[in-house]
Amino acid sequence: MNETYDEFGTAGERWDRAQLFFEAKEYLTAARILRGLVAEHPEQIAQRLLLARTYYHSAQLSRAESELRSVLDRDPVEHYARLMLGRTLERQGRPAEAAPHLRLAAAMAGEWTG
């Protein structure tokens, strides 16, 4: 059996557990749980966004980028995903690619001054 304790339970129980592991900065465990949830429910934005955050905080930047792009494909006006994508691209040394995302995120938040 390849499952661990973290992967048992209902989707709601696993979501709660993933959030607890994220808050405890146990990003690899949170990511393992979230990958299963995303595979089961690929249309749900919140799970993908938290998975992207776990990847970002554990320096798995290409994985974070991929999940953020998936979020934005499903919901192009998801402000936080746009901001995170910009920061992820910056952290990868890609400021020119990051800039439009950061500008759009600022505009969505009402911070853009023109």
Side-chain angles (χ1 to χ4, degrees):
M1 194 180 278
N2 288 338
E3 291 184 339
T4 66
Y5 163 78
D6 307 327
E7 297 161 321
F8 284 107
T10 66
E13 290 167 341
R14 287 179 286 143
W15 169 247
D16 290 342
R17 197 173 303 125
Q19 290 178 305
L20 289 173
F21 279 110
F22 180 85
E23 290 168 10
K25 298 182 181 179
E26 294 288 336
Y27 301 121
L28 298 178
T29 303
R32 185 176 60 244
I33 297 166
L34 290 163
R35 279 192 301 267
L37 289 170
V38 167
E40 290 173 29
H41 307 282
E43 72 287 350
Q44 292 188 1
I45 301 294
Q47 295 171 154
R48 282 189 182 276
L49 192 53
L50 188 57
L51 180 56
R53 292 176 65 198
T54 65
Y55 287 148
Y56 180 86
H57 287 294
S58 61
Q60 297 179 64
L61 300 178
S62 62
R63 286 181 172 183
E65 178 184 351
S66 177
E67 288 302 327
L68 291 164
R69 290 187 187 281
S70 291
V71 167
L72 291 170
D73 285 346
R74 288 165 172 77
D75 186 359
V77 295
E78 168 51 60
H79 164 261
Y80 190 67
R82 186 73 58 187
L83 176 64
M84 275 196 64
L85 179 57
R87 289 185 178 167
T88 300
L89 293 168
E90 278 184 328
R91 199 167 158 195
Q92 292 180 77
R94 296 158 57 192
E97 289 178 67
H101 296 287
L102 294 172
R103 280 193 304 271
L104 189 53
M108 290 171 158
E111 300 168 3
W112 189 61
T113 58

